[in-house]
Amino acid sequence: MPDRGETEHSPGDQTGWGDTETSQGGLSRRGFLRTLLGGVGATCLGGLGSPVARAQPAPLVLKPTPPEFFYNHGSNSEMRWEVMANRGYLVPNEFFFVRNHTRTPRVDPGTWRLRVEGSGVGRPRAFTYDEILNMPAVSVIRFIECAGNGRSFFEVAYGRRAQGTQWKLGAIGVAEWTGVPLREVLERVGLKRTARDVMPEGLDDLRVRRPIPIEKALAEDTLLVYAMNGDVLPPDHGFPVRLLVPGWIGVANIKWVGRIEVSETPLYSPWNTESYVLIEPEYRPSPPALGPTLTVQNLKSAFELPWDGEIPAGRRLLRGRSWSGHGRIVRVEVSFDRGISWQPAQLRDPNIPQAWVRWEVEWDARPGQYSLRARATDERGNGQPASVPFNEQGYL
Amino acid sequence: MWHGSFVVLILLAVCIVSPGAKAQEPNVVAFTASEFRWDPGEVATRPGPVTFRVTNAGQLEHVFLVQDSTGRAIVTIPVLLPGRTEEVMATVSSGPYTILCTLAGHAEAGMIARLIVLAAP
């Protein structure tokens, strides 16, 4: 239950926010080499050495996802928002949601290579794990959110179920991501001025891949990530290396990346033509895509409370978090009467763009049933709409 | 009493001799989904009403879609959860049909099968 007592557990809160709050919004430089390599080597040798019983098919998700902390939807595990009640700014790795299109692959970092190739580069080559770790490192704090976060509410609002995992609001997490800017790798392969699309591809058994435009690929905070919250990137979150594409829908942040294609011509995959597109009569298809492709994540807010939960009556301090793919949140309002009246919530430090802001609001909670709402506005003036048009795959 | 039996006998006779009353076995075509294939990968059947009985023996959710040779969707099972068997009926005519899972990347990974509907000789 939320209360005034506050325990900050996250290591992020101890690193001193002065380090990370720069005018660029949360970039800092850190070395991250020898201890990481040692830890990883030990883990992998242990894993490869032990005989594996083949009676069971490989699990879809490798880390434990107990029902007290997660809603389990097959290959996807949704964070319960009450887990973040009174926690620090970052979501610990063990509570971070998992979104898998298929099962988590096990990748040997010793034989892993990142191939970077295509018509948009002059010197295609493969990089080893050591080579990636030896490049100048950067750490940023950003959210990663599934494009379908909130999808279950289409059925509530329209009586019609949108296709896909029926997430509530827990397909979101904020972490400190450490890695090398993608730009650094692209420069080393002779990126051509004519390059236009960059498509990272995963080593999972579906080879999930989705192109981003070259401008986004070259952003200073678009990273090839190998560490999460100060630890080696866990397998379910993309070990050995994943993409971080700040502010964009989750699928852009390709896990277990093994190849990057850079092209002078537009690139397409099932994940920007058949899915992660808006399908409904008012959205026009742009062939080969079935509809407009999704890019930046929409604004959302969530309370650090159990869904359909109970709290004791009395004066309470309700807490929540809001986020936007476009930038920093500047205002949050809360309604206790289904949107008839709104009152401002107090924003708490830190407030990092394309991560989230924590907020709190006092409530004199009388006994009864309530529908609590929160709406945020970001620094670009984007707000949270009261509703969005139905679209078949349940986005926005 | 023989009056009642006579009526019953006539009814039976009608059933036996009237043309078209021969009972057809229901036509069931079964598919099993797994990651990432359909079993069988190819199957033949006769034209007419068919019941598709589809089992998901995999660990992921799948979709079952039948398309005719023009690419038009004939019938679908939009949600096929792991471990479940669902049935859907359709009427098929001679020619080739394609069985697909429409989830992104699944057909590309192998979840595509052929159904050949053979005209009766």
Side-chain angles (χ1 to χ4, degrees), chain A residues 57-58 60 101-103 205-206 209 270-271 275, chain B residues 35-36 59-60 79 102-106 108-109:
Chain A
L60 298 174
H101 292 259
T102 175
R103 64 180 51 77
D205 52 20
L206 284 177
R209 57 204 181 277
W271 292 275
S275 65
Chain B
E35 286 89 52
F36 289 97
Q59 291 178 278
L60 299 178
V79 178
T102 55
L103 294 177
H106 287 213
E108 176 193 74

Side-chain angles (χ1 to χ4, degrees), chain A residues 215-283:
Chain A
E215 300 77 24
K216 187 59 172 171
L218 294 175
E220 63 181 354
D221 57 356
T222 296
L223 305 184
L224 289 166
V225 164
Y226 46 74
M228 184 176 175
N229 288 329
D231 282 331
V232 67
L233 191 63
D236 297 309
H237 297 294
F239 180 85
V241 174
R242 75 170 303 159
L243 262 293
L244 175 75
V245 185
W248 281 37
I249 54 173
V251 68
N253 299 260
I254 297 291
K255 296 193 286 189
W256 320 290
V257 63
R259 176 180 180 255
I260 298 176
E261 182 178 353
V262 184
S263 173
E264 295 171 307
T265 53
L267 291 174
Y268 300 102
S269 80
W271 292 275
N272 73 333
T273 54
E274 302 161 22
S275 65
Y276 302 98
V277 293
L278 295 168
I279 298 175
E280 220 8 59
E282 61 211 84
Y283 297 114

Side-chain angles (χ1 to χ4, degrees), chain A residues 62-389:
Chain A
L62 298 181
K63 75 179 184 185
T65 56
E68 306 85 77
F69 303 136
F70 294 95
Y71 298 105
N72 288 308
H73 315 274
S75 61
N76 304 307
S77 295
E78 177 176 7
M79 178 186 78
R80 284 179 173 268
W81 261 101
E82 59 268 34
V83 161
M84 292 310 292
N86 297 324
R87 275 194 185 272
Y89 193 73
L90 305 175
V91 178
N93 294 355
E94 59 268 29
F95 297 133
F96 210 97
F97 83 99
V98 179
R99 173 9 179 192
N100 275 357
H101 292 259
T102 175
R103 64 180 51 77
T104 293
R106 291 178 193 259
V107 180
D108 170 11
T111 52
W112 174 84
R113 296 292 181 269
L114 175 63
R115 292 189 346 261
V116 186
E117 57 199 19
S119 61
V121 302
R123 297 187 301 277
R125 56 164 292 197
F127 295 88
T128 65
Y129 191 51
D130 283 0
E131 286 173 320
I132 298 291
L133 296 188
N134 282 321
M135 293 183 193
V138 168
S139 289
V140 300
I141 293 172
R142 297 286 184 267
F143 73 68
I144 287 183
E145 181 184 23
C146 176
N149 202 22
R151 178 182 285 123
S152 62
F153 303 119
F154 278 104
E155 188 168 23
V156 173
Y158 292 101
R160 210 178 135 194
R161 191 178 185 268
Q163 287 170 33
T165 307
Q166 300 295 306
W167 306 100
K168 289 181 266 297
L169 286 169
I172 171 101
V174 169
E176 182 189 57
W177 308 97
T178 303
V180 57
L182 178 58
R183 181 172 59 193
E184 187 76 40
V185 165
L186 293 177
E187 281 166 10
R188 290 174 191 227
V189 293
L191 182 70
K192 295 182 186 170
R193 276 183 301 108
T194 49
R196 102 163 242 169
D197 272 8
V198 176
M199 185 162 73
E201 176 178 313
L203 291 166
D204 54 284
D205 52 20
L206 284 177
R207 297 189 303 124
V208 176
R209 57 204 181 277
R210 194 178 198 258
I212 55 177
I214 188 66
E215 300 77 24
K216 187 59 172 171
L218 294 175
E220 63 181 354
D221 57 356
T222 296
L223 305 184
L224 289 166
V225 164
Y226 46 74
M228 184 176 175
N229 288 329
D231 282 331
V232 67
L233 191 63
D236 297 309
H237 297 294
F239 180 85
V241 174
R242 75 170 303 159
L243 262 293
L244 175 75
V245 185
W248 281 37
I249 54 173
V251 68
N253 299 260
I254 297 291
K255 296 193 286 189
W256 320 290
V257 63
R259 176 180 180 255
I260 298 176
E261 182 178 353
V262 184
S263 173
E264 295 171 307
T265 53
L267 291 174
Y268 300 102
S269 80
W271 292 275
N272 73 333
T273 54
E274 302 161 22
S275 65
Y276 302 98
V277 293
L278 295 168
I279 298 175
E280 220 8 59
E282 61 211 84
Y283 297 114
R284 249 182 291 151
S286 31
L290 298 178
T293 48
L294 295 176
T295 55
V296 182
Q297 198 71 334
N298 237 23
L299 280 82
K300 289 192 194 64
S301 302
F303 289 85
E304 295 169 12
L305 291 173
W307 195 257
D308 280 343
E310 272 189 18
I311 60 173
R315 288 201 71 77
R316 306 238 73 86
L317 185 70
L318 292 188
R319 286 184 164 160
R321 306 186 186 212
S322 299
W323 58 94
S324 166
H326 299 277
R328 201 179 262 112
I329 297 290
V330 297
R331 185 166 73 250
V332 176
E333 298 161 291
V334 174
S335 172
F336 302 103
D337 54 13
R338 299 173 186 273
I340 296 168
S341 63
W342 296 86
Q343 64 191 70
Q346 291 74 52
L347 306 188
R348 301 168 63 204
D349 281 335
N351 185 355
I352 298 176
Q354 300 175 324
W356 55 24
V357 69
R358 294 173 297 173
W359 44 262
E360 57 192 23
V361 64
E362 283 206 357
W363 185 33
D364 189 8
R366 314 265 169 84
Q369 279 212 338
Y370 298 86
S371 172
L372 304 180
R373 299 187 188 185
R375 67 183 180 196
T377 307
D378 69 24
E379 60 187 336
R380 303 277 180 88
N382 298 301
Q384 249 179 274
S387 67
V388 293

Side-chain angles (χ1 to χ4, degrees), chain B residues 31-33 38 53-64 77-87 103 111:
Chain B
F31 285 97
T32 300
W38 293 107
R53 182 175 296 147
V54 188
T55 299
N56 187 346
Q59 291 178 278
L60 299 178
E61 192 175 313
H62 292 291
V63 176
F64 175 80
I77 298 169
V79 178
L80 188 59
L81 297 174
R84 298 285 306 254
T85 298
E86 309 286 352
E87 288 188 358
L103 294 177
M111 290 194 80

